[in-house]
Amino acid sequence: MRLLKSQIDTKHGAGFVTLLPEEPEDMWHAYNLIQPSDLLRARAIRRVTKTSDSGSVASQRITLDLTIAVTSTDFDVGSGQLHVAGRVASENEHVKLGSHHTLDLELHRKFTIEKVGEGGGGWDSVALEMLREACETERRAELWAVVMGEGTANICLITEHQTILRQRVEVPVPRKRRGGVDGHDKGMEKFYSTTLATLLRHMDLGKESTAGAADKTVPLLLASPGFVAQAFLQYVKSEATRVGNKALMTLVPSILVAHSSSFHVHALKEVLASPAILSKLSDTKFARETVLMDKFTTLLRQDDGRAWYGPREVERAVEKGAVGRGGGVLMISNALFRAQNVTERRRWVGLVDQVKEVEGGEVRVLSSLHESGKRLEALGNVAAILTFPLEDIDEEDDETGEAPGGEDMVI
Amino acid sequence: MPGHQRAKNVAYDDDDFYSGDDYYEDEEGGQNELSPEDQEQMRLGTIKVKEALDSTISVTDKQIEEALWNYYYNIGKSVTYLKNTFGPKQKSITEPQKTKTTTRFDQAASAASSTVTEMPSPLYAYEQMATATFSRTSASKGCADYPVPLPAFAPLDYESITATDFFFDVPWGNVPQERLGTISIQPLLPRGRLLGGSSRPSKLAALAAARKRKQEEAKIASAQPALSEAKSETDKAVSLLDRLNVKENDAAPTHSSDGGEAIRRESVAKRYPLKKRAPSPEVVETKVDEDESAGEQIPLPEFPDIRTGPSTFASTLCGRGGASADLDSGFASISPFPNSTGLLQAFKGPSPDDIVLNAQAKGTKPKSTQPKKTKGDKLAASMEKMAVEETPKVKSKNLDVIKEFEQSGMKPMANFVVIGHVDHGKSTLMGRLLFDLKVVDQRSVDKLRKEAETIGKSSFAFAWVMDQTSEERSRGVTVDIATNYFETSKTRFTILDAPGHQDFIPNMIAGASQADFAVLVIDASTNSFEAGLKGQTKEHALLVRSMGVQRLIVAVNKMDTVAWSQSRFNEISTQMTTFLTAASFSLKSLTFIPVAGLTGDNVTTPVQNPNAAWYAGGETLIDALDASEPAKRNIEKPLRLTISDVFRGGITNPVSISGRLDSGSLQIGDSVLCMPANESAVIKGLEVENEPVDWVVAGQIATLHLSDIDPVHLRLGDIVCDAKKPVKLVKEFTAKILAFEHVMPMGVDVFRGRLQAEGKVKTLLAVLNKGSGEVVKKKPRIVKPSEVARVCVQLERELPLEVGTRVVLREGGATVAAGLLEG
């Protein structure tokens, strides 16, 4: 994402930025930045009907710049499309004020986000941090991963901020039977060929979109329980030589094979946490997040009161100053900041600010689209590693009778 | 052979050679004698062959020399040949010929492959000459490729036929002696037999050639009504074909001069030994044809017997039903260069093509036109009938399955799963068990042992009885459940051999979910047991227990490696008892048996090892298995079957599934519902233990052949249920779980038999008291290992899960908890 223009009043949080999305992931950033009640200005195509003086009606599709006051956003993870619905906020000759419009943000087409500040949320610290992150131009890690088992493969694209399940391949593979094992072998053969064909189709798409990075080969990670991944790698190699597919042959050296305990997407977390993979990808956000989540769950297992999860518990811990300098980490999913409700968002922004500014602790905003974010989501979207043990937080919670699970539904 | 001659001869072309008889003679004169080297070799060879041949076979030196010459001084081959030809000849004339028919091809084939490189061989040249005579005119370069040194050159034939007999009707003049000697091919005559089978290409070629020259031939025939060799010989302008005929006739007299025969042949053979020719089977065939046509002239008594009938193809070509009855003209028409009379006769009538065409026109058309209509009507009618018959559904016999089952007095059945840590010998023990019970025969085990030895894993032979896929064998681990059956006097057992490797626990769960009881295999050798206890020995035991298996037989395996030490056995028993009772196995349902799977001690027969005296009279593994009580069957309950495999059962059964009936019963013709696809299907066939049956009841592992359903609707782990009492689909459920690891809200894999689904522990509702089930703590932050808790699990997609179902929750390769579904 390129920042074309920005005018932000840091004191009140009012102002606007003009952005130019360049890769699909920028849509995800835009999705996180655009809040209800923001003003969004972008190019739109709208059908306009005109009634002439004589009473005849002419309908016309015209392209125009529209400014809408956002009411809701809709993000399609698979295709990376962002639809922003709202009401027209500035009148022009074709469209009346207040009429509804849904803007489809497109790549390489600039848009402007304006936040009014004060009453409506404005550019708070979290939003500014997101903006900074979104406009980072440094190399973005990208990785294809196939998590597979016998007859099932999940083809995922892992980017800096997202893990996208691009396709799930399912091929029925007969189990081994007495006297008839060739069915199994045939089934596996078919499964491999289907998986490879699907994978190549998707990877090609990926290359087109990251046009700038076409020269660098994107690493491919194969993970499976047992020997499926190795066998698949073997198949890819033989297929590459057999067909003479140059592109595939250049890909072969960048294939990593890892072990996972199951073929489900969430098995990716153990793959990414495995030392072999981590050494190669340690500088990436998802790897860091995975390590952090693992650290948290380890502490939780030790059950010494230094790891807490759930909105209420974490807030209480922060209140008591347990998430501060010297190891205090607040983990929070960016899903919480997408809250439709302004006060809800304020609550979390406040918590982040508190930890960061006042307590001096570390804040990690985890992407809800990564495996680590999903794990955090299971824990109520927010968790904290404390500097000193606290034992009675949930006891108090019991007294209030409020279920921590109830707060999960905010998003 | 002198080098310069060789070089000289290389240049010779067939055309050159056959262009004139003068040349022929000249050549012969120069080559009449063997070279000194050849003579020496011949001498030595003759001695050796004589030695090799026993005295019963009387062979002259000349014959030996001839044979040696043919085989290029290969003594072995010559001896065989001589034995073959001269040995049996004494007894009967037809017999050896018959044997020859079979062997000659083989010999020729093998010789072709082995001797082609040996060229130039005298034999080759010899044959060369023979072929050249006819193939020359075949207008094909085919002869240039003459490949096959024909070894069975049948001296017997020319011995049995006197020259005068042979040529009694041939009107030739005084042909020079030398030239007569050239055609030593006469012995080839009986080869006509080959015509019967395989001479198609050449015949076709010959036919084509014949047709081409049809006109020409006819002309010649009219010009020379009685074609004589003298005439043709003088007339240089006659066609190639004629020339050939002449040659052949020329050749025939060779036999009249017996004396110089051998020498002559040799000399002929030597004449063009260097002509390198690539193999061409066609030529052989042509030659055969030629021989046939020549053979017509010779009234051999055995001739008709020897010849096989022409192939149907040949007879069709000749347009005769009984071609064999009238071979002469048949061959004449086929042969490209028949002798004059045959040829003339052959082309007087309609050409074979015409005959065929006529025959076709006569034969097929009326048949196909007239009866077609009536047949068509019939066909249509029968098709209609067929169409009616195709639709009928599978008929149900409407059996009262429960009653049938009670009446059948079926032997009690039991399914048991074999569990344990990887490499503790589960598959080997089961392979041994099956072998000792004669389910697997010695031959297959020997075969497996051989295969195993070739990759250096001889100890895996028994395991390979169970591990059948190539991957399992090459890696030496079981990957998937192997199902096998055996029977004792009391019970019919189904073995479910589970994989021990951690990665394949999903498969093990699938197997364990079908089992009535379990056999836990433990490696007694040092450190292995301890490693297993930390690994899958523990996990498997906990899993089978949490899946409802009550009875456990602990087979302490590899006792041979610890010399049947009683103390080791007791140590393991004590440790395991402590552990298993803690895992809520009752003490009386545990049985410990020391065994040695590889040697087979105490598997089916009591151990003989003197070190194991302490166990004398103890139970063997099979005794322990037999002591198992039959499992209770839920026959009365509605049908539930978990699909553990979907496959193609064959052409007649495109969709087949297998799995264990958890409850209820089934019979052919029943309509069932497959969940969660919610598709109905009809049972077309049922199989238990690979035997077709009419009905199945709960507890049996059955194969169902389905119809009226697409296999895409069937996935592993789906439930086949009664259409009237379908299983409900759930997206979220609460379960009472026993935690093996820390449980917190997290993503988990939910297992139920073959079913493996993504889900997550959404909330921890309460920690319960292990004994009473009372709530100890509400909404715990985390559930610690070995605590019992009530949790809420949310699934990614709706699944058929019922109250009372046992589920296993796993995460990151470890079993987190096992539980009972509460709703």
Side-chain angles (χ1 to χ4, degrees):
Chain A
M1 194 118 72
R2 234 185 309 164
L3 184 63
L4 299 178
K5 199 193 270 183
S6 93
Q7 200 173 61
I8 295 170
D9 176 5
T10 41
K11 198 176 175 189
H12 304 288
F16 68 89
V17 288
T18 306
L19 298 163
L20 181 71
E22 285 170 319
E23 19 184 316
E25 188 155 79
D26 291 339
M27 289 303 165
W28 166 247
H29 292 301
Y31 174 51
N32 281 312
L33 280 173
I34 299 167
Q35 293 287 313
S37 82
D38 290 354
L39 294 177
L40 180 69
R41 184 174 178 81
R43 187 142 283 249
I45 296 170
R46 191 174 167 95
R47 205 179 64 174
V48 178
T49 52
K50 269 184 185 165
T51 314
S52 69
D53 297 338
S54 60
S56 64
V57 179
S59 176
Q60 211 184 349
R61 291 172 75 86
I62 53 165
T63 313
L64 72 171
D65 280 323
L66 270 185
T67 306
I68 59 167
V70 178
T71 52
S72 71
T73 51
D74 172 36
F75 182 64
D76 181 355
V77 181
S79 60
Q81 281 182 314
L82 178 60
H83 311 287
V84 185
R87 305 180 73 157
V88 176
S90 68
E91 197 172 26
N92 65 22
E93 54 172 316
H94 301 294
V95 190
K96 272 187 201 157
L97 192 71
S99 56
H100 289 271
H101 191 90
T102 299
L103 286 172
D104 295 345
L105 295 187
E106 286 173 56
L107 286 182
H108 307 295
R109 191 152 287 174
K110 63 174 185 178
F111 62 90
T112 306
I113 305 169
E114 189 175 352
K115 291 183 187 282
V116 282
E118 297 300 326
W123 293 97
D124 50 43
S125 61
V126 173
L128 286 173
E129 180 62 24
M130 274 180 192
L131 184 64
R132 195 189 57 75
E133 217 170 70
C135 298
E136 260 175 16
T137 50
E138 68 184 35
R139 183 188 69 88
R140 295 234 163 79
E142 205 180 42
L143 172 77
W144 283 93
V146 184
V147 191
M148 55 205 307
E150 279 190 13
T152 318
N154 291 297
I155 298 174
C156 308
L157 175 62
I158 304 172
T159 62
E160 192 73 26
H161 299 276
Q162 292 167 288
T163 302
I164 306 161
L165 173 63
R166 294 301 283 266
Q167 181 123 32
R168 191 184 171 93
V169 179
E170 275 185 79
V171 175
V173 176
R175 318 304 302 204
K176 82 170 180 192
R177 309 186 57 73
R178 209 176 157 203
V181 288
D182 55 334
H184 177 264
D185 292 349
K186 258 190 220 163
M188 288 306 282
E189 182 77 15
K190 196 181 162 213
F191 167 61
Y192 290 145
S193 74
T194 315
T195 309
L196 182 60
T198 319
L199 179 67
L200 290 179
R201 209 162 52 233
H202 280 283
M203 288 185 78
D204 280 346
L205 283 176
K207 265 180 191 157
E208 275 168 34
S209 57
T210 56
D215 51 344
K216 70 155 193 192
T217 49
V218 180
L220 172 63
L221 178 66
L222 305 177
S224 79
F227 321 111
V228 181
Q230 280 100 317
F232 182 62
L233 175 62
Q234 222 39 57
Y235 177 84
V236 171
K237 277 182 184 163
S238 67
E239 198 65 9
T241 24
R242 192 179 66 81
V243 186
N245 186 339
K246 284 238 177 77
L248 192 56
M249 273 192 255
T250 52
L251 178 72
V252 167
S254 62
I255 296 179
L256 303 170
V257 174
H259 178 269
S260 70
S261 64
S262 81
F263 54 80
H264 298 305
V265 186
H266 61 71
L268 264 182
K269 71 155 198 260
E270 41 183 299
V271 178
L272 296 176
S274 71
I277 304 297
L278 207 58
S279 63
K280 295 192 179 174
L281 308 167
S282 56
D283 55 336
T284 55
K285 186 176 158 78
F286 52 77
R288 284 195 308 266
E289 286 178 1
T290 304
V291 174
L292 191 64
M293 276 312 289
D294 283 346
K295 190 182 167 195
F296 174 78
T297 45
T298 316
L299 280 174
L300 193 59
R301 287 203 177 96
Q302 284 171 6
D303 199 26
D304 59 358
R306 289 210 295 148
W308 285 95
Y309 64 86
R312 208 149 269 269
E313 290 87 342
V314 171
E315 273 183 338
R316 243 169 235 161
V318 174
E319 266 169 38
K320 294 190 173 169
V323 190
R325 272 180 200 85
V329 185
L330 174 70
M331 286 164 285
I332 188 158
S333 165
N334 58 11
L336 288 179
F337 301 119
R338 288 196 299 270
Q340 303 286 332
N341 184 335
V342 174
T343 52
E344 192 60 40
R345 183 185 161 97
R346 280 233 179 106
R347 175 183 171 191
W348 300 118
V349 173
L351 186 70
V352 169
D353 288 346
Q354 168 94 9
V355 172
K356 225 193 274 184
E357 312 296 334
V358 183
E359 307 287 342
E362 196 184 342
V363 176
R364 296 281 189 92
V365 179
L366 273 60
S367 169
S368 63
L369 280 185
H370 271 316
E371 256 328 292
S372 48
K374 294 237 168 77
R375 284 162 79 189
L376 187 59
E377 188 188 328
L379 296 171
N381 274 326
V382 59
I385 298 173
L386 311 190
T387 44
F388 53 87
L390 284 175
E391 285 300 344
D392 48 354
I393 302 179
D394 56 339
E395 308 279 306
E396 292 167 33
D397 197 52
D398 261 358
E399 286 155 28
T400 57
E402 195 182 345
E407 314 230 355
D408 291 359
M409 313 312 288
V410 183
I411 325 102
Chain B
M1 172 152 317
H4 69 276
Q5 275 188 4
R6 213 174 280 155
K8 195 176 157 197
N9 285 334
V10 168
Y12 289 155
D13 216 355
D14 286 336
D15 285 324
D16 291 343
F17 171 48
Y18 283 108
S19 60
D21 291 332
D22 311 359
Y23 180 80
Y24 201 90
E25 280 177 52
D26 291 347
E27 192 73 33
E28 182 158 309
Q31 297 198 324
N32 229 344
E33 303 236 333
L34 289 167
S35 75
E37 301 100 292
D38 282 352
Q39 279 174 342
E40 178 59 17
Q41 263 190 301
M42 188 65 89
R43 194 180 59 79
L44 292 171
T46 316
I47 295 163
K48 280 183 188 162
V49 171
K50 269 187 182 169
E51 280 167 7
L53 286 171
D54 47 303
S55 53
T56 52
I57 300 169
S58 58
V59 195
T60 64
D61 278 11
K62 256 179 202 162
Q63 282 161 335
I64 294 175
E65 277 174 16
E66 212 170 286
L68 278 170
W69 183 246
N70 287 352
Y71 286 107
Y72 200 51
Y73 309 118
N74 185 325
I75 287 139
K77 278 185 187 172
S78 309
V79 169
T80 336
Y81 156 70
L82 289 167
K83 272 185 184 165
N84 281 348
T85 44
F86 294 95
K89 190 190 129 198
Q90 258 84 348
K91 290 165 196 164
S92 82
I93 269 183
T94 46
E95 213 184 15
Q97 279 178 334
K98 271 185 185 165
T99 57
K100 255 201 285 169
T101 48
T102 54
T103 58
R104 197 183 286 163
F105 240 115
D106 302 346
Q107 282 174 334
S110 63
S113 57
S114 63
T115 61
V116 166
T117 47
E118 284 177 9
M119 288 194 260
S121 85
L123 167 66
Y124 170 70
Y126 176 38
E127 309 230 299
Q128 166 68 40
M129 180 234 83
T131 13
T133 0
F134 23 71
S135 48
R136 192 79 295 278
T137 37
S138 79
S140 69
K141 54 316 131 181
C143 60
D145 299 322
Y146 191 65
V148 194
L150 291 176
F153 232 69
L156 103 132
D157 287 319
Y158 52 76
E159 282 202 353
S160 60
I161 303 157
T162 67
T164 33
D165 279 350
F166 197 81
F167 296 112
F168 72 99
D169 60 347
V170 178
W172 56 50
N174 23 348
V175 184
Q177 185 96 342
E178 286 85 353
R179 217 177 346 120
L180 294 180
T182 56
I183 308 294
S184 29
I185 35 151
Q186 230 43 17
L188 279 174
L189 289 174
R191 251 198 253 159
R193 277 167 249 137
L194 292 178
L195 179 70
S198 58
S199 49
R200 266 168 226 197
S202 69
K203 268 191 231 165
L204 280 173
L207 194 65
R211 283 180 62 196
K212 259 190 197 170
R213 298 202 170 77
K214 202 179 172 183
Q215 293 299 101
E216 202 182 43
E217 299 293 334
K219 265 185 214 163
I220 295 161
S222 60
Q224 306 167 297
L227 193 66
S228 71
E229 63 95 34
K231 216 177 184 184
S232 63
E233 197 181 355
T234 49
D235 192 356
K236 297 278 178 186
V238 290
S239 71
L240 281 169
L241 182 93
D242 287 333
R243 216 194 301 148
L244 180 79
N245 276 321
V246 170
K247 291 257 169 72
E248 200 167 295
N249 290 341
D250 249 357
T254 334
H255 293 280
S256 60
S257 55
D258 272 344
E261 190 197 79
I263 301 159
R264 246 178 271 126
R265 187 179 308 154
E266 277 161 17
S267 65
V268 166
K270 279 166 79 180
R271 185 164 296 152
Y272 4 96
L274 276 184
K275 289 190 181 154
K276 304 221 171 186
R277 304 197 162 183
S280 151
E282 286 164 65
V283 180
V284 186
E285 318 289 5
T286 333
K287 182 158 119 196
V288 166
D289 291 349
E290 195 56 37
D291 291 340
E292 287 305 331
S293 57
E296 288 155 29
Q297 299 171 319
I298 308 154
L300 277 177
E302 68 272 24
F303 195 63
D305 302 321
I306 306 156
R307 269 196 264 221
T308 50
S311 69
T312 41
F313 181 71
S315 46
T316 323
L317 273 178
C318 300
R320 285 172 203 218
S324 57
D326 200 346
L327 277 169
D328 294 9
S329 45
F331 286 127
S333 66
I334 293 156
S335 156
F337 324 111
N339 66 47
S340 49
T341 40
L343 183 100
L344 288 175
Q345 280 163 7
F347 290 101
K348 267 174 197 167
S351 79
D353 279 23
D354 293 345
I355 293 165
V356 173
L357 288 174
N358 287 343
Q360 279 175 347
K362 274 184 208 162
T364 55
K365 262 188 186 169
K367 267 184 200 165
S368 57
T369 45
Q370 221 220 341
K372 216 177 191 176
K373 276 184 182 173
T374 53
K375 256 192 184 172
D377 291 346
K378 271 183 195 169
L379 206 65
S382 64
M383 280 302 283
E384 274 164 27
K385 272 183 203 164
M386 288 277 286
V388 175
E389 276 171 42
E390 249 173 20
T391 37
K393 296 221 166 163
V394 192
K395 265 182 201 142
S396 173
K397 288 186 182 170
N398 283 324
L399 301 169
D400 184 349
V401 176
I402 296 166
K403 212 169 151 191
E404 288 279 330
F405 170 65
E406 280 161 0
Q407 284 172 356
S408 68
M410 204 186 271
K411 249 188 196 178
M413 289 174 306
N415 312 324
F416 66 91
V417 64
V418 190
I419 55 172
H421 194 67
V422 67
D423 282 343
H424 276 201
K426 295 175 293 299
S427 300
T428 304
L429 184 62
M430 286 307 113
R432 165 62 74 174
L433 184 69
L434 289 175
F435 173 63
D436 286 351
L437 290 166
K438 307 275 183 288
V439 178
V440 179
D441 55 14
Q442 179 73 44
R443 210 175 119 257
S444 355
V445 170
D446 284 346
K447 191 168 150 252
L448 290 175
R449 186 168 285 144
K450 216 172 156 192
E451 282 170 18
E453 268 161 15
T454 54
I455 63 162
K457 294 178 178 174
S458 52
S459 67
F460 281 86
F462 282 116
W464 284 10
V465 172
M466 311 299 283
D467 298 349
Q468 287 167 334
T469 66
S470 55
E471 192 168 57
E472 287 179 326
R473 289 186 177 180
S474 60
R475 309 236 181 216
V477 294
T478 309
V479 171
D480 208 346
I481 290 283
T483 315
N484 243 312
Y485 314 99
F486 71 91
E487 201 169 331
T488 63
S489 51
K490 282 189 201 162
T491 322
R492 288 161 66 181
F493 287 103
T494 304
I495 305 176
L496 300 152
D497 181 36
H501 194 280
Q502 191 179 359
D503 277 358
F504 308 119
I505 286 191
N507 295 334
M508 176 264 163
I509 294 173
S513 66
Q514 303 181 53
D516 299 320
F517 67 97
V519 175
L520 175 63
V521 179
I522 292 175
D523 187 346
S525 52
T526 331
N527 292 328
S528 290
F529 163 63
E530 285 76 10
L533 202 53
K534 280 185 207 133
Q536 273 62 58
T537 302
K538 178 183 159 195
E539 189 171 5
H540 280 190
L542 289 172
L543 276 172
V544 292
R545 181 69 196 92
S546 55
M547 276 187 289
V549 170
Q550 307 278 344
R551 190 175 135 75
L552 191 69
I553 297 170
V554 183
V556 183
N557 196 16
K558 307 196 187 176
M559 284 303 286
D560 49 335
T561 63
V562 293
W564 288 87
S565 151
Q566 186 177 8
S567 60
R568 181 65 174 164
F569 176 71
N570 288 341
E571 181 195 343
I572 291 171
S573 306
T574 327
Q575 277 203 45
M576 285 311 293
T577 311
T578 325
F579 167 68
L580 291 170
T581 44
S584 74
F585 279 100
S586 76
L587 203 56
K588 67 171 193 292
S589 65
L590 295 173
T591 317
F592 288 85
I593 312 278
V595 292
L598 203 58
T599 58
D601 287 326
N602 210 31
V603 176
T604 51
T605 47
V607 56
Q608 302 298 329
N609 195 314
N611 290 335
W614 54 271
Y615 195 70
E619 262 187 322
T620 61
L621 180 61
I622 199 80
D623 294 337
L625 291 174
D626 254 346
S628 64
E629 282 168 33
K632 217 173 73 189
R633 294 163 191 279
N634 299 321
I635 301 176
E636 314 282 342
K637 288 187 181 167
L639 169 74
R640 296 290 182 263
L641 178 144
T642 310
I643 300 177
S644 57
D645 192 11
V646 181
F647 59 100
R648 196 184 150 85
I651 293 165
T652 45
N653 301 311
V655 188
S656 297
I657 58 172
S658 73
R660 179 182 194 244
L661 267 79
D662 299 325
S663 61
S665 60
L666 261 182
Q667 61 177 308
I668 293 175
D670 276 1
S671 180
V672 292
L673 195 66
C674 302
M675 296 297 267
N678 205 8
E679 289 284 325
S680 67
V682 177
I683 309 282
K684 212 166 95 183
L686 287 170
E687 276 180 32
V688 173
E689 294 174 19
N690 303 324
E691 298 292 330
V693 291
D694 284 336
W695 47 265
V696 288
V697 293
Q700 284 179 310
I701 296 174
T703 298
L704 279 61
H705 302 301
L706 302 181
S707 64
D708 302 340
I709 191 166
D710 195 284
V712 295
H713 299 304
L714 301 165
R715 287 185 182 183
L716 300 189
D718 284 3
I719 288 194
V720 171
C721 58
D722 194 335
K724 284 166 204 147
K725 289 167 189 162
V727 58
K728 283 199 185 84
L729 298 179
V730 294
K731 186 94 197 275
E732 198 176 301
F733 62 86
T734 56
K736 194 164 91 175
I737 58 160
L738 169 67
F740 299 149
E741 301 278 337
H742 287 90
V743 179
M744 60 193 103
M746 60 184 174
V748 286
D749 294 344
V750 180
F751 289 85
R752 184 203 160 278
R754 262 297 180 203
L755 183 80
Q756 184 180 359
E758 273 183 281
K760 64 177 183 188
V761 176
K762 202 176 140 204
T763 42
L764 310 177
L765 297 172
V767 175
L768 309 174
N769 183 309
K770 235 180 173 179
S772 61
E774 284 168 18
V775 174
V776 176
K777 190 185 178 189
K778 269 188 183 174
K779 296 185 194 91
R781 192 165 58 107
I782 190 163
V783 179
K784 289 180 205 126
S786 81
E787 277 183 341
V788 176
R790 183 171 287 128
V791 296
C792 175
V793 178
Q794 194 177 23
L795 297 164
E796 290 269 294
R797 57 189 173 105
E798 288 198 317
L799 289 175
L801 292 170
E802 285 181 302
V803 174
T805 315
R806 287 172 185 278
V807 292
V808 175
L809 308 179
R810 284 171 59 82
E811 191 250 345
T815 302
V816 170
L820 198 69
L821 209 126
E822 287 185 326

